[in-house]
């Protein structure tokens, strides 16, 4: 199985959206996750996006 990580600055909109689109496109053939480079100090970590 191939693995793919989508990354943006905050992991708030772009990379989770890309994760959903790629998961729908490739299904279980590719394990897709999203991540961000800059974390929010006042907010807890966001759980992975499940389709």
């Amino acid at each position: 199985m191939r693995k793919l990580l989508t990354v943006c600055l905050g992991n708030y909109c772009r990379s989770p959206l890309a994760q959903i689109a790629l998961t729908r496109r490739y299904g279980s053939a590719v394990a897709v996750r999203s991540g961000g480079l800059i974390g929010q100090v006042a907010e807890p970590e966001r759980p992975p996006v499940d389709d």
Side-chain angles (χ1 to χ4, degrees):
M1 173 187 294
R2 292 181 182 238
K3 296 179 181 180
L4 179 66
L5 175 64
T6 61
V7 179
C8 68
L9 287 179
N11 194 33
Y12 184 73
C13 183
R14 289 177 297 263
S15 59
L17 182 60
Q19 178 185 4
I20 292 169
L22 291 166
T23 299
R24 287 182 179 171
R25 171 73 166 94
Y26 296 108
S28 61
V30 178
V32 184
R33 298 291 304 259
S34 67
L37 299 176
I38 300 173
Q40 299 291 328
V41 176
E43 295 181 23
E45 181 180 335
R46 297 179 185 275
V49 177
D50 291 328
D51 188 21

